Structure formats: C-alpha cells, structure tokens
C-alpha cells in the first residue's frame, strides 16, 4: 500500500486546495483551504475526518476556509512562523529546517519569500509532493506583492534540487495563461511548445493541469530558467545575472 495520497480540490474561481492523507495512521490534512464547502464535500465523500489545516501564506483565498473547518472537525492549524500576526489562531508555526507531520508522512519546510514575506512551502517525499502555494506555479511564479525579485529567485532555486519526479501542487489554475506568456520568452523551446498543446487539450475538457512535474518545469518554466543563456539572449540580456533576467521576466509577466 502507498504511504499516502493527495486529493486535488478546486475551490473559489481558480484556486486549488489539497487533502493529504496518511494511509497508515488515517491522519488527514488540508493545505490552503480557500473555502470550506468543497473540502467538507471531499471529506464526506470519503468518510474521512480532518486533523490538520496547513497554510502556506496569509492571503484570504488560501485561509478563507480555516475557521469553518476547524470548528467542524476540531482540526489544528499550522502555518508560517513569519506570518503569525496575519493568520489568526495558529496552534503551531514552522519555518525552514522544521519538519511537519501528517501522521507518518514527514514534510520538509522551505522559507520561500517573494509573493509574501513569510511564505512557506512543504515537500513530502513519501508522496513525492511539493505544496508550493503561490511561490512556484505550473509555468509561472507568484506576483511579488511583498518581496523582491532576488528573494523570489532564491526561493524558486530551493526547489530545483528536489527529485525530478516531484509533483508540484500549486495554489491556482493559471497554467494556460502562463503557457502563452512562456512562449513569448522561449518561442523555440520544443518541450514548451508540446506542453502548451497538452495544456490546451486539458483545459478544453475542463480538466486540471495540476500537479505538474518538476523536471517538466525545469525544462519549460521561464521563472526557473532565468540562468539559461538562451533566455538571456532572447531578452537581449546576454551576460546579465540570473536575478536581472528574472526581474525582467517578472516585469513582462506583470504587464502581459
């Protein structure tokens, strides 16, 4: 039997929240519940209880379901230590170097400032899953509402050494728009061109593009590839630092 599983739950207009279930202990966590209703429906469909609510950052579309779920199930709330003042009623906080437990599933915590200053992400090797919130998206990254381009580039680079097969569970279904933008940065990338076709096919059938695989992101996501010489050349920035190239890519995406 597999150690656990991840359930993808669409919520709000384009958010994703996730159930993480440890099969051995039957402990279940929800990550970034933007609203409670879809989570409750998914739990009741499977006859599961909810033990833990986990937040990656303080934005309302990631914590909006916290209170209702905690009241209904008596779940504990865990989130970023750096956002204690902005996420109410956390029972436990964590930061880089800490380990979080969902039953027997062990999660590694990353500090990934950029989208917010206190944003964190979680990697659970037993289910080969990275929960990146609004830091890394499929073919994109989060807007820099609070952090700097240098911070976000450093944050994203933390993910690049994870196993190639890592499944990336991000906060939003932005992939089709991100794909259109990525082609403006690397129009001749054959892996990207093929991926864009696959994405269009999935969305035409109203299917999620999430999770994506890390090796595919490394081959196609311009925000993870700001140190590629070909991308710098495409932008007329040959010889510039990865942070300078990343800054230009982010600026272009903000106005895309």
């Amino acid at each position: 039997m597999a150690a656990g599983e991840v359930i993808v739950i669409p919520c709000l207009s384009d958010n994703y929240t996730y159930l993480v279930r440890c099969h051995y202990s039957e402990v279940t966590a929800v990550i970034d519940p933007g609203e409670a209703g879809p989570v409750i429906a998914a739990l009741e469909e499977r006859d599961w209880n909810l033990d833990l609510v986990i937040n990656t950052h303080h934005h309302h579309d990631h914590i909006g379901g916290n209170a209702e779920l905690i009241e209904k199930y008596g779940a504990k709330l865990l989130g970023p230590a750096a956002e204690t003042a902005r996420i109410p009623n956390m029972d436990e906080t964590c930061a880089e170097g800490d380990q979080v437990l969902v039953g027997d599933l062990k999660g590694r915590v990353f500090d990934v400032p950029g989208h917010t200053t206190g944003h964190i992400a979680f990697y659970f090797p037993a289910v080969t899953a990275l929960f990146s919130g609004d830091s890394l998206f499929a073919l994109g990254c989060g807007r820099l509402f609070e952090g700097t381009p240098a911070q976000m580039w450093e944050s994203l680079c933390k993910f690049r050494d994870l196993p190639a097969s890592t499944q990336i569970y991000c906060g939003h279904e932005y992939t089709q728009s991100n794909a259109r933008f990525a082609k403006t940065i690397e129009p001749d990338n054959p892996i990207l061109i093929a991926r864009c076709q696959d994405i269009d096919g999935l969305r035409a059938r109203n299917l999620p593009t999430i999770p994506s695989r890390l090796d595919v992101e490394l081959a196609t996501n311009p925000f993870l590839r700001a140190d590629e010489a070909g991308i710098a050349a495409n932008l007329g920035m040959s010889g510039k630092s990865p942070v300078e190239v990343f800054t230009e890519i982010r600026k272009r995406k903000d106005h895309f």
Side-chain angles (χ1 to χ4, degrees):
M1 182 174 72
E5 66 179 301
V6 179
I7 305 296
V8 180
I9 304 173
C11 64
L12 301 173
S13 62
D14 56 25
N15 279 70
Y16 288 119
T17 186
Y18 303 102
L19 294 179
V20 183
R21 172 81 163 179
C22 172
H23 287 320
Y24 301 126
S25 65
E26 300 186 344
V27 169
T28 303
V30 64
I31 296 180
D32 285 351
E35 58 178 333
V39 178
I40 293 169
L43 290 165
E44 290 183 347
E45 177 185 344
R46 294 164 177 80
D47 197 26
W48 291 352
N49 188 43
L50 182 66
D51 303 283
L52 183 64
V53 177
I54 298 175
N55 294 151
T56 62
H57 65 292
H58 68 87
H59 287 160
H60 185 73
D61 62 330
H62 291 252
I63 71 170
N66 283 6
E68 185 176 345
L69 292 169
I70 290 166
E71 181 178 4
K72 181 175 178 64
Y73 294 101
K76 300 294 185 182
L77 177 60
L78 178 146
E83 298 198 352
T84 301
R86 300 197 283 183
I87 299 177
N89 304 317
M90 285 195 287
D91 298 292
E92 185 179 350
T93 62
C94 58
E96 182 143 337
D98 290 337
Q99 179 177 269
V100 300
L101 297 176
V102 177
D104 296 332
L105 304 179
K106 298 176 181 177
R108 173 183 171 189
V109 181
F110 293 91
D111 286 339
V112 286
H115 183 65
T116 71
T117 54
H119 200 301
I120 57 177
F122 303 88
Y123 170 61
F124 286 85
V127 288
T128 328
L130 173 68
F131 298 96
S132 58
D134 287 357
S135 57
L136 176 63
F137 291 131
L139 283 173
C141 77
R143 286 181 178 268
L144 305 183
F145 289 128
E146 298 174 12
T148 66
Q151 283 180 312
M152 183 62 102
W153 171 247
E154 182 179 356
S155 294
L156 296 179
C157 285
K158 293 179 180 182
F159 301 145
R160 300 202 299 181
D161 291 331
L162 293 174
S165 60
T166 298
Q167 302 290 303
I168 298 166
Y169 296 89
C170 63
H172 292 270
E173 183 57 72
Y174 290 162
T175 314
Q176 196 167 37
S177 174
N178 288 344
R180 289 195 294 267
F181 172 74
K183 286 195 291 186
T184 72
I185 303 298
E186 274 195 297
D188 299 320
N189 181 333
I191 305 174
L192 174 60
I193 292 168
R195 185 179 182 192
C196 291
Q197 293 172 343
D198 292 341
I199 289 163
D200 288 342
L202 289 169
R203 296 311 294 155
R205 301 192 302 275
N206 199 33
L207 295 174
T209 62
I210 307 303
S212 63
R213 274 177 59 113
L214 180 60
D215 53 356
V216 177
E217 292 300 324
L218 291 172
T220 57
N221 186 331
F223 294 98
L224 287 173
R225 295 168 57 77
D227 53 355
E228 289 285 333
I231 285 184
N234 288 349
L235 299 177
M237 299 183 70
S238 294
K240 298 295 186 180
S241 72
V243 169
E244 290 174 301
V245 175
F246 177 89
T247 301
E248 177 64 19
I249 296 171
R250 185 63 256 177
K251 183 173 73 173
R252 291 187 183 204
K253 181 62 168 69
D254 289 344
H255 296 94
F256 180 69

